[in-house]
Amino acid sequence: MAVQGADVLVVGAGVVGRSLAFALATGEPSARVVLAGDTGGAAASNAAASGAAGAMLGALGEVTECGLRTRHGRLRTDLAVEAAGLWPSWRAQVRTAAGAAAPDRDGYGTGTFMILNAVSSALDDASFTAVAQAAAEYGLSCEETTPAGIPGYRPLDNDRALRAWYLPAEGFLDARAWLTTLDTALAALPNTIRTPAGTLTAARDGGYLLDTPAGIFRAPRAVVAAGAWTTPILEALDPDLPVVPVLAAAGTAVTVTGPETWPAVIRTPNRAYACGLHAVPQADGSLYLGASAHPALTPTPQPTAGALRFLLDAALSQLDHRLAGTGITHTHHGNRPLSLDGHPVIGPTLREGLWVASGTHRDGLHASPLIAAALAEALLASTPTPTSDPLPGVLAAFDPGRELIADLTVKEAAAEAAAHHAALAAEARMRPPLTGAWPQALADGYADLLDRAYAAMPEGYIPPPDLAPLVYEGTGPALAEVAAAHLARHDRARV
């Protein structure tokens, strides 16, 4: 089979991969871009994160108290604010390229109500306050409003919110419709080639080969943007490459036929490893309810009964009890790419011409315009960015070959994880006996469990709280092995 030439290979066709291919192909019309990954747009059923996303395009919505007081948490907020500013022009550019074939509606809108109820712990209070603090610091609008006046909000009385913010500039859209729009725009570009997933290898005389069912392609540069599948691809290509490993964070959501059309997002603050409970209006008038979250060493293929039960219990009681009578039209399951240290993995690797765009966790769709534009500019530059140099700006902190990020000490990370566990227990209605010291004993038990589990990790690795369930569950030794192997690769590369 003849090998076909290309300028850039993009491996992975989630929202980041598709957005990057679009930015490359429109940034340089003479460049030949190959985009490899599952086709079928919103109908693709590979448990990738993009097709299951809730697509909240919010900068303030992701703010937490812990994030606001740590260096890299601040940088993530910087990234989110910058990406939010790009969405209006980015959306217009993609829709213009898609032309008349684009979906009439993509569900785009603005406005988010963040509610503060008591169905959690003091973590919600702290993050609710942090949202207003971040709004003031970044010059964004955050208005106090009356929970009872929020359109569509009908919680059970014992779960009602007593306070709420209205965030008028926070955007949202229908992720499934947006992926279709991106696909339509890519199909209209003559210099873009779509292929099924293939095998990426290094060519003996330089560059990279991508062997797909549609043919073999060769290019001097390749970008692995395969979400939670990134690390196996990189390890197959070069097992000694020191790139921060990307794991998975499984999430489950549902779409329901809402009793009315909601004009804005309703959500809680980030809580217990997830992006809070949220309801996002969809392009067809339905309502997206999300989301559960559970870290995993490798992607999981389907939702669990427990995740669905927890999600529906929370949505029906905390958001709108009338949803009990609605129909579930779709169950979504996705694997968010969550890196070993909890932060994005974006930029050039130590291998000439090999780049990575992954590890975005919950930020992938929202940050996709920023990531795509930055990588496209660097890849298309007449003088390519040296492999030893990270991307400029806020993305520089998330270089793939970096030292593992640890903004918290072992003790601080374990304490934060224990606090999240206690909050999750409260949201799950765990009611310890009121006799003796049982409520405090529960909190102390979580603290002791996490202290011991964190102490078992290899020296030089402090798991982020988002990965805490992996630390003490039966996967703890396997997580420690992944971390130790990466630390060894990183040490060898520095010699």
Side-chain angles (χ1 to χ4, degrees), residues 139-166:
L140 302 173
S141 182
C142 176
E143 308 164 5
E144 184 134 26
T145 189
T146 304
I150 297 175
Y153 180 57
R154 299 292 186 276
L156 295 178
D157 283 346
N158 54 328
D159 288 346
R160 70 189 187 280
L162 298 180
R163 296 187 66 190
W165 299 133
Y166 178 55

Side-chain angles (χ1 to χ4, degrees), residues 284-299:
D284 61 0
S286 61
L287 197 62
Y288 173 101
L289 302 174
S292 68
H294 195 280
L297 290 171
T298 57

Side-chain angles (χ1 to χ4, degrees), residues 56-60 76-93 108 110 138-140 169-172 365-371 373:
M56 294 181 288
L57 309 177
L60 295 175
R76 296 285 288 276
T77 303
D78 292 345
L79 185 152
V81 171
E82 187 175 348
L86 297 177
W87 262 99
S89 60
W90 172 253
R91 174 173 172 263
Q93 183 185 359
Y108 181 80
T110 57
Y138 287 89
L140 302 173
E170 299 280 280
F172 60 90
L365 197 148
H366 173 60
S368 57
L370 175 59
I371 295 170

